[in-house]
Amino acid sequence: MKGLFKKFREGLRRTTPTFHKAFGKVGGVFGAKQLDAASLGELEEALYGADFGVETTEAILDQIQAAFRANRELRGLDAARIGAEVLRSLLGGAEVPLELGSHHPEVIALIGVNGSGKTTTAAKLGHYFREEGRSTLLGACDTFRAAANEQIVTWAQRLDLPLVSSHHGADAAAVAFDAYQAADSRDCDVLILDTAGRLHTKGNLMEELKKIRRVLQKQDEAAPHHRWLVLDGSIGSNSIEQARVFHNAFSLTGLIITKLDGTSRGGALAGIHRELQLPIYFVGLGEGSDDLQPFSVDHYVRAVFGLEDDEVPAGS
Amino acid sequence: MLETLTDKLGGALRNLRGVGRLTDENMAEALREVRSALLSADVHFRVARDFVNNVKEQCVGQEVVKSVSPGQMVVKIIHDELVQLLGEGGGALIEKKPLRVLMVGLHGSGKTTSSVKLARLLRKNGYQPALVACDVYRPAAIDQLERLAQDEGLPVHTDRKSKDVPRIGADGTRFAKERNANAVIYDTAGRLQIDGDLIEELRELRKRVQPDEVLLVADSALGQEAVNVARTFHESVQLTGIVLTKLDGDARGGAALSMKSITGVPIKFIGTGEKPADFELFHPDRMASRILGMGDVVSLVEKAQENIDEKEAEKMAAKMRKAEFDLEDFLKQLQQMKKLGPLSSIMDMMPGGAGMKVGDKEENQLKRTEAIIQSMTPRERANPQIINGSRRLRVANGSGSQVRDVNTVLKQFGQMRKMMKMMKGKKGKRMMQQMAAQGGGGGGRGMLPGV
């Protein structure tokens, strides 16, 4: 478990992000030192810098300031612990174990805006499930973007995963239908459908998604059993809006946050969770096929606030 | 959607009624609102802070002009300041032949698509562009560029065997020369700004191909990270411009302001859709309105232009002026409106419309109206006055609605016609002028310069 945590944290802090500067100072250099107005200002900047947005930042700051008023000798490390606690409670319910196996095949549809990392995530997920001992099939429903097909074909070859694909411009719902039949006849456990990127503001493209769903439902009424939104972790507050619109159109069942290996903190996920209460199943922490990891609230919160792994968070 | 800044400021500045001069004290709450509006639009923390301080300096001591409310005045100052900041040093690419453009950015920001779009735009401006595929990492990235370039009839240099990116770049330059191309666009792989090896590769490529322009392609929905991205790319490969992509989404785009203020690199182009033609020069005033949540009337107008047949619209307008508008025209209008997308997304683009709830109910109402008109005969559509009781019943049955629904539609239509008749005469002209004057002076929400 520790190795996994390390990876999570390494992904989250490869170089000097503001968080580590601020919390490094507060929690490290100033660890034993008391807070003052200036370091509270730094805290605020760090929280905004992590894309937590106005509401979450204020929620965390309020708690820290209240603690500071009650105890003028509050140290930086204490502040980090309080912040971690608030964030942890905001993210309550975000970490839910993924349960597969009640359907056969179990269909997962990956959706999201352009460039959020759906195709790469589909391949990595296939790899992940196969490592878990589940037979997995990929369905290439992105028939729109030029060479999207070739991209997923290359991934499938690289990872040796079976794939059902069609040609550029084909009907995405038809590919979904074929992929389902293939998965069914080959007795696969999991079918992962990669769909074309679409901005949530495009009504007609959102309709196409619904069509994919309708077609699948002809074979299995509950399919696709999982409807996951793939979100780019470096996107700011708009990801909340994206999630809301996709949720309204397609009733999402979970989220995957990608590209958290940069310097971004993906703080918007706190806002999304507060609004939609969706579980976060996986996070993308790098480009390798193993770098898609199950989401852990504890790891995330501690990495964000720079608390050590042996540091027992307050209240747990 | 968030409340518009003007609405928020309206509340914060309510106490200012009757105040003749803006001061530090009476501005404090309003400026807090401005700051939080900027932060929720993803403007970087420091940029937001500096910006607010700037605005404060400009506001304090200003006399409040009688005809506008203090809120409107503050918004105007903010808007102008934003436009100035965003627009400084902007403009098109340098004019030079041959022109070499290097495209860089994070994964999934839209480099490949933007490369082709830029090539297309340059061709329109008299260049002969060629493309070079320098993304040797992402599976099928080369195929993607090749496919898009082929669709546009643009020459593209690829080398599927080599991983030597600077070399591919140099070969590409030669390739372009041989084909008499005088604009070369190098599409590169997406990379994190902190990935040392890949950034080094980019530096090498830059050295080899000596680009005249280095454009950072950035997603307009980027969060606070935008600043780190722009700064680090700028330090390593000296950017000359920024391309903001995916502006057809509804991100407020505060990242644009952050990147511009921190690096000073001007924003040159924006990507506004999936089609190759959806690419244009950056307009600071539109972006400013967008960041402030003041609605995006210009985009709405453009969307309308894109989807509505101009001749048709002119015919319609002429009919309206003459008050010859019949139910057939009404139906056409409904159908054109539907082409713009769901009502709710249209409302979001209107100033002050963001908060309004337009749901399925209104959408269904539209559908029903359409069905009712479609159940009428052409003669009935042209002469609604002939629709008597039995005709109403038939129309209601035909459209699966009730007679009272048919009555409602006819009543609405009658009112519309009456309005048009009123506009026709001299009296109407005066009324229009009055309305225009009111809209300009008192329409607190729609304060959009240039519209």
Side-chain angles (χ1 to χ4, degrees), chain A residues 15 44-45 48-49 51 114 144-147 150-151 199-202 234-238 241 259 263-264, chain B residues 35 39-40 42 45-46 107-108 138-140 143-144 147 193-194 221-225 246 248-251 274:
Chain A
T15 37
E44 184 184 16
E45 180 174 352
Y48 277 113
D51 281 320
N114 315 64
F144 178 78
R145 180 163 60 90
E150 285 83 344
Q151 185 184 357
L199 285 178
H200 51 296
T201 48
K202 301 278 168 85
S234 56
I235 298 301
S237 59
N238 190 244
E241 197 58 31
K259 307 187 207 175
T263 49
S264 53
Chain B
R35 194 186 83 134
L39 287 169
S40 14
D42 292 324
F45 184 80
R46 283 194 189 177
H107 307 267
R138 180 162 63 89
D143 298 319
Q144 187 187 357
R147 194 72 60 75
Q193 79 278 12
I194 50 165
L222 268 181
Q224 301 271 324
E225 179 73 349
K246 305 181 205 171
D248 43 335
D250 57 3
E274 306 208 29

Side-chain angles (χ1 to χ4, degrees), chain B residues 190-207:
Chain B
R191 64 201 76 213
L192 284 171
Q193 79 278 12
I194 50 165
D195 189 326
D197 294 343
L198 283 179
I199 290 293
E200 189 50 41
E201 176 196 277
L202 212 53
R203 275 211 200 99
E204 282 299 313
L205 176 65
R206 192 190 199 291
K207 237 191 265 168

